[in-house]
Each structure stands twice: as structure tokens, then as C-alpha cells.
Amino acid sequence: MNKIKIVVAVLLATIATGASAQFSQLGPKNEFMLKIEAGYMPFMGHVGTPGESGYVLRDFHNGANLNAMAGINISQDWFLGGGLAFHYFHNTEQGLAESMMGAGVFVDFDFRPIWKGVMGVDYQPTTIKWAPEVGARLGGSLLLNHPDYGSPFSPLAEFYGGINWYYAHGLRNMEHNWHSFYATIGIAYMQQAVFLPIRIGWRW
């Protein structure tokens, strides 16, 4: 009976030691993350029915924007958080079109798949430099100084894809390994208009 207890104790100690070593290698699964990005949004077209004064952005305004986000980096490949946006809508072709400022609040999600598979078995590569990215945003957009509509509020929706460069690449699970610069292009809707947002950003 004592021999069995000794064998069980040795097995449990071995499993615990292995689990501890594995945890120290993998590090924490979730980490707080910040993202900041700047971009330009060419106007693509109107959506919906114009009001008494026409569409909200009736003069085919393009947009420049700055976004700041905070959230959780989940298992290194996923991000979920919230963000604030500042928009500057302007028209480069019609001199009489008044520029407008706007703000937005949104939930941001992105996925950077960097798992690989060999013969059906997933593994994590030892070094990382580049990874694709896909993501989406849902929230609201507010214009701050519209001459006819005042401060109209509308839903905001966006889907995007791009690429990440992990400038702190190294061992798969080293601290700060997921810090990256990235570039994305997507399609977005807000204020009765569709835009083509092109952005560069930094995550850390």
C-alpha cells in the first residue's frame, strides 16, 4: 500500500512539475493592450433615404480619422476592446462644401491567426514576424457641427483586413511578443455613407 502511495506521489509531483514548466514557458494567456491608429477614409457612396436637406454628408466628404482603443489581448491571437474615434470630414473637390468634425465610440475585435499545422497537429512557431489580421467594429458616430442637421447620431459598422509586423518577435510566448505595427483596409458605414478606411496603427 505504501509503495502505491509513493508511486502516486511521484506521478503527481512529475505532472505538477511539468505543468509548472509549461506555464512558465507559455506565460499569461490574457494581457491588457492599447492600440492607436490614424487613417484616411475615401467616400464610396450614399446609403438610405435623404432627408429634407439631402444626405447628411451630401457633398461627398472624405474623412481623416484618429482612433484609440484599449482592451484584452486573448491567447496572443485575439483582441477585444473598446475605442474612441475622432473624424474630420472634408471635400477636396467642392470648395463650398463645409468641413465637419465627428466623434465615434465602438467595440473593436480583431484576430491575428499565427497558428500553423503539420500533419493535422497545430503548433505555435518559435519565431513570428508577420501575421494577417481580420477584424470588425460596431458602435455609433456623432457629427459635431452639421449646418443643417445639428449633431446627428448614426450607427457605425466596419469590417477590415490587413497585416501585422511583430517588431518584438522572438520566442512565441515571450513578454511583449505581440507588440506590432499594422496596416489595414476595410469598408465602413456611418452617417448615411460608405467609406473605404485605410489605416496604419501600433499595438502594445
Side-chain angles (χ1 to χ4, degrees), residues 81-154:
L84 297 174
F86 169 77
H87 300 287
Y88 176 72
F89 297 101
H90 69 105
N91 188 293
T92 58
E93 298 180 0
Q94 301 181 29
L96 297 179
E98 183 173 348
S99 299
M100 288 172 279
M101 292 184 294
V105 59
F106 55 86
V107 174
D108 181 40
F109 156 81
D110 74 49
F111 175 49
R112 291 151 282 135
I114 47 181
W115 288 78
K116 294 184 178 180
V118 176
M119 299 179 64
V121 178
D122 287 336
Y123 77 98
Q124 294 175 320
T126 57
T127 61
I128 305 165
K129 292 184 180 179
W130 302 93
E133 174 181 352
V134 293
R137 291 170 182 166
L138 291 174
S141 168
L142 177 70
L143 283 182
L144 303 178
N145 59 338
H146 196 287
D148 297 316
Y149 288 95
S151 299
F153 182 84
S154 84

Side-chain angles (χ1 to χ4, degrees), residues 4-204:
I4 295 176
K5 290 181 179 179
I6 292 173
V7 171
V8 171
V10 170
L11 288 174
L12 291 175
T14 303
I15 292 172
T17 303
S20 177
Q22 183 70 7
F23 177 80
S24 64
Q25 179 185 2
L26 290 177
K29 289 291 185 181
N30 304 327
E31 292 286 342
F32 179 74
M33 174 179 283
L34 294 172
K35 293 167 61 177
I36 187 168
E37 60 188 26
Y40 194 72
M41 305 186 302
F43 175 86
M44 300 297 292
H46 288 118
V47 177
T49 304
E52 294 181 359
S53 300
Y55 287 103
V56 177
L57 297 175
R58 58 180 176 268
D59 295 312
F60 309 100
H61 287 74
N62 300 314
N65 79 297
L66 180 67
N67 298 331
M69 292 142 282
I72 301 297
N73 192 57
I74 305 170
S75 296
Q76 300 203 35
D77 298 340
W78 307 79
F79 172 80
L80 178 63
L84 297 174
F86 169 77
H87 300 287
Y88 176 72
F89 297 101
H90 69 105
N91 188 293
T92 58
E93 298 180 0
Q94 301 181 29
L96 297 179
E98 183 173 348
S99 299
M100 288 172 279
M101 292 184 294
V105 59
F106 55 86
V107 174
D108 181 40
F109 156 81
D110 74 49
F111 175 49
R112 291 151 282 135
I114 47 181
W115 288 78
K116 294 184 178 180
V118 176
M119 299 179 64
V121 178
D122 287 336
Y123 77 98
Q124 294 175 320
T126 57
T127 61
I128 305 165
K129 292 184 180 179
W130 302 93
E133 174 181 352
V134 293
R137 291 170 182 166
L138 291 174
S141 168
L142 177 70
L143 283 182
L144 303 178
N145 59 338
H146 196 287
D148 297 316
Y149 288 95
S151 299
F153 182 84
S154 84
L156 179 156
E158 180 178 335
F159 298 93
Y160 60 88
I163 190 166
N164 283 263
W165 172 51
Y166 292 95
Y167 60 85
H169 67 275
L171 294 177
R172 175 65 172 90
N173 291 285
M174 286 180 62
E175 185 180 4
H176 309 318
N177 185 52
W178 49 81
H179 292 203
S180 67
F181 294 109
Y182 60 90
T184 63
I185 185 171
I187 185 167
Y189 166 81
M190 68 187 82
Q191 301 295 341
Q192 295 183 298
V194 176
F195 299 90
L196 186 74
I198 303 168
R199 300 194 177 100
I200 55 173
W202 177 35
R203 69 172 78 241
W204 76 97

